[in-house]
Amino acid sequence: MERALPKHIAIIMDGNGRWAKKRLLPKKIGHKAGADALKKLLKKVEETEIEHITVYAFSTENWKREKEEIDDLMKLLKDYIQQYIKENEKSNIKIDTIGDLTVLDEDLQRDLAHLKEISSKKTGLSLHIALNYGGRDEIIRAVKNIVKDVNNNNLLIENIDENMFSSYLDTREYKDPELIVRTSGELRISNFLIWQAAYSEFYFSDKLWPDFTFEDLEQAINSYQKRERRFGGRLDS
Ligand code: FPP
């Protein structure tokens, strides 16, 4: 028996820089092509039973890149969000973020708050954008909030278990990804959803992110569905 379709897929969109380099184009164009590839992919995903897509857009480590590239990426995100806000009637996608937004510039934080407000009325596919996100940072923020709640007598140490811990993470409102996809041939998790990936299946594609299509995602899903069959017997609900 084949596994059911994954309800939540997380994607490490890697390879924008190499895509641009191969074409002798500036990196910025590679990131723009990456954002366009995501838009195209989501249009198709919306037609499926997949409920959640989480994408790694900007990691806590990405601040180490050159200022120009950071500015370009932030501008791209702003444009993406503003376009969604402007054309929001056209889309039923719900967008929210994971990661620590407090250090982002105020304009971007305001746009993100507006975007979340609009999104709360949507009923379609959920897109979770990881922004200034790092798995270790997320865990540390969770631990700090747990300690605060224990100190304020709002939480008993005996009641801390895996479920309780998960409820302090940015992803508390939905289930962990069944499938994690990384493009561009790199075989690392790079601090992405490290707690949530405990039981996820991984799929690595050699394609650079701007070249990654819905057909490639279908291949990843097929691979995920077949893996269960190899070990046999268990039906997913
Ligand atoms: C990795 O490519 C990709 C990123 C650091 C950013 C991903 C961002 C986007 C796809 C666009 C913006 C996203 C949204 C949600 C609008 P890389 O630069 O590390 O590639 P390289 O390893 O080939 O240099």
Side-chain angles (χ1 to χ4, degrees):
M1 203 50 204
E2 273 196 359
R3 248 184 188 168
L5 207 65
K7 295 250 183 275
H8 180 184
I9 301 177
I11 309 177
I12 302 178
M13 309 180 290
D14 197 7
N16 296 344
R18 273 163 284 169
W19 184 93
K21 200 170 177 187
K22 256 174 62 181
R23 289 164 179 76
L24 306 176
L25 292 167
K27 233 179 165 180
K28 178 178 165 175
I29 307 289
H31 290 313
K32 170 79 174 73
D36 291 343
L38 176 63
K39 264 189 217 165
K40 244 171 134 174
L41 185 78
L42 292 174
K43 281 222 165 73
K44 297 272 199 159
V45 173
E46 274 191 280
E47 295 165 12
T48 72
E49 303 285 304
I50 297 164
E51 292 172 7
H52 299 268
I53 296 280
T54 302
V55 292
Y56 211 0
F58 195 90
S59 74
T60 46
E61 288 71 33
N62 283 153
W63 297 109
K64 292 181 201 142
R65 295 193 178 201
E66 280 182 24
K67 184 174 181 307
E68 192 185 338
E69 188 183 355
I70 295 173
D71 290 347
D72 288 342
L73 272 169
M74 290 298 163
K75 169 89 175 52
L76 194 60
L77 275 158
K78 264 185 211 161
D79 291 350
Y80 193 93
I81 291 157
Q82 275 170 2
Q83 195 190 1
Y84 174 85
I85 292 173
K86 218 164 87 193
E87 300 176 356
N88 99 80
E89 269 108 49
K90 283 193 202 162
S91 171
N92 198 23
I93 298 184
K94 281 167 93 99
I95 308 185
D96 63 12
T97 59
I98 56 170
D100 179 8
L101 303 184
T102 59
V103 298
L104 299 180
D105 89 34
E106 280 180 11
D107 280 0
L108 182 55
Q109 289 192 45
R110 211 172 306 125
D111 283 351
L112 285 166
H114 188 186
L115 170 114
K116 284 179 197 177
E117 199 188 301
I118 292 173
S119 281
S120 65
K121 297 172 189 100
K122 305 277 184 194
T123 54
L125 174 71
S126 291
L127 173 67
H128 312 289
I129 304 179
L131 204 48
N132 187 30
Y133 175 86
R136 289 182 175 182
D137 178 70
E138 180 190 32
I139 289 169
I140 287 173
R141 285 187 285 112
V143 169
K144 285 183 179 167
N145 286 326
I146 288 172
V147 172
K148 262 190 216 155
D149 281 350
V150 169
N151 285 345
N152 295 335
N153 297 321
N154 289 326
L155 178 64
L156 292 171
I157 291 180
E158 307 79 87
N159 288 344
I160 301 174
D161 60 11
E162 291 184 15
N163 279 334
M164 172 65 73
F165 192 85
S166 294
S167 76
Y168 280 82
L169 296 172
D170 298 347
T171 51
R172 65 183 76 84
E173 281 171 21
Y174 41 91
K175 289 199 174 140
D176 294 341
E178 296 99 322
L179 174 63
I180 299 181
V181 174
R182 182 170 189 152
T183 58
S184 91
E186 307 290 345
L187 309 177
R188 292 185 297 278
I189 191 161
S190 299
N191 204 12
F192 188 45
L193 301 175
I194 50 177
W195 170 277
Q196 297 85 344
Y199 298 101
S200 307
E201 296 283 346
F202 285 82
Y203 182 87
F204 298 100
S205 165
D206 284 332
K207 285 240 183 132
L208 302 175
W209 174 252
D211 294 328
F212 194 82
T213 63
F214 181 69
E215 286 67 38
D216 297 314
L217 187 69
E218 281 183 319
Q219 268 189 34
I221 293 169
N222 283 339
S223 160
Y224 161 86
Q225 289 182 309
K226 284 197 186 99
R227 288 182 212 178
E228 178 81 353
R229 190 158 53 170
R230 200 173 299 151
F231 300 104
R234 213 181 94 217
L235 263 168
D236 272 8
S237 52

